[in-house]
Amino acid sequence: KPPNRVTQTTMNKMNRLLAAILSTAVLMFAGTALAQEAPDTLVKRISQDVLNTAKADKAIQSGNQKRIRALVESKIVPHVDFQRMTSLAAGPHWRSATAQQQQRLTLEFRDLLIHTYSGAISQIQDQVLQFRPLRAAPSDTDVVVYSQVIQKGREPIQLNYRLEKHGDAWKIYDLNVLGAWLVQTYKGTFATEIGKSGVDGLIQTLADKNKKLGTSSAKN
C-alpha cells in the first residue's frame, strides 16, 4: 500500500525540523563549551595544537613562511587581544592618539608580532611544553598562565601568558619570555620613538620594519 502523501510530507517536515534542532543544539553546546574553557586550558590547547601542527608539517619544518604565517593566523591570532597589547605598549600616548592612529598602530604592531610568532614557530623541532597549575579564583578576570619549553640539551625556556576575560572568552594580551614581558619591552621603544617623531613616526617605523620582514620572508 503506497504511503499517505500527507503523512509522508508531514514526516519529511518533522525530520527536517528535528535535524535543524539537533544542529542548533550541537552548535550551542560547542559554543558554550568553548566559552567556558579555562584560561590555562585554552593556552595549553593552542600551544599543543601549534606544536603538533608544526612538527607534522614538512613545509613548516623547511621554513615555508606562507605556511607558518597561515598557522599563526588560524591558530594564534583569534585568541590574542592586539588592541589591548598596543594600548599598553603605547602607554599614555594611546589616549592622546586619534582613533585612526590607534587603528593603524594596532595593525602595524599586530603584523610585527605575527612576524615574531612566525620566527619562533620556524624553530620548532623536538620541544615539549610543561604547564604549572593555574592559581586563580573562579571570579578572576585577569590571570597569568605559567609554562616552560623543554628542549634536549638546553635550559628550559620560561614562557608565561597574561590573559583577560572578555565576556565568557579569554584573550592573551601579554607574553613573558625568559623573565621579560613583551608589552613592557616595547613600551620603552614606543616611548622613545613617539618622543622623537610622534605617533605617526612610530607607525611609520613599524610599517618600515614590517615591510623589511615581509621582504625577507618572501625570499624563503
Side-chain angles (χ1 to χ4, degrees), residues 107-127:
L107 289 174
E108 293 298 343
F109 192 36
R110 173 187 182 276
D111 208 29
L112 179 63
L113 293 175
I114 289 175
H115 282 300
T116 302
Y117 295 152
S118 298
I121 289 175
S122 66
Q123 304 300 315
I124 290 177
Q125 293 178 345
D126 59 353
Q127 291 89 339

Side-chain angles (χ1 to χ4, degrees), residues 103-212:
Q103 182 181 29
R104 290 179 58 204
L105 183 58
T106 299
L107 289 174
E108 293 298 343
F109 192 36
R110 173 187 182 276
D111 208 29
L112 179 63
L113 293 175
I114 289 175
H115 282 300
T116 302
Y117 295 152
S118 298
I121 289 175
S122 66
Q123 304 300 315
I124 290 177
Q125 293 178 345
D126 59 353
Q127 291 89 339
V128 176
L129 300 173
Q130 288 185 351
F131 287 85
R132 286 166 50 185
L134 178 67
R135 294 185 177 181
S139 59
D140 287 346
T141 58
D142 198 309
V143 301
V144 178
V145 174
Y146 296 92
S147 75
Q148 61 180 0
V149 182
I150 308 299
Q151 306 177 99
K152 291 181 180 178
R154 300 181 186 180
E155 288 293 319
I157 297 175
Q158 302 303 313
L159 182 59
N160 307 322
Y161 306 80
R162 274 192 176 129
L163 297 93
E164 185 177 36
K165 196 172 187 180
H166 295 264
D168 289 327
W170 289 91
K171 291 277 190 176
I172 299 168
Y173 72 90
D174 204 357
L175 298 173
N176 185 308
V177 182
L178 297 174
W181 285 103
L182 182 146
V183 166
Q184 190 62 37
T185 300
Y186 276 103
K187 197 170 186 176
T189 304
F190 278 21
T192 299
E193 194 61 42
I194 292 174
K196 289 192 303 183
S197 50
V199 174
D200 286 333
L202 172 60
I203 293 171
Q204 189 58 53
T205 297
L206 293 177
D208 292 341
K209 189 173 183 64
N210 285 327
K211 185 177 181 181
K212 185 181 296 184

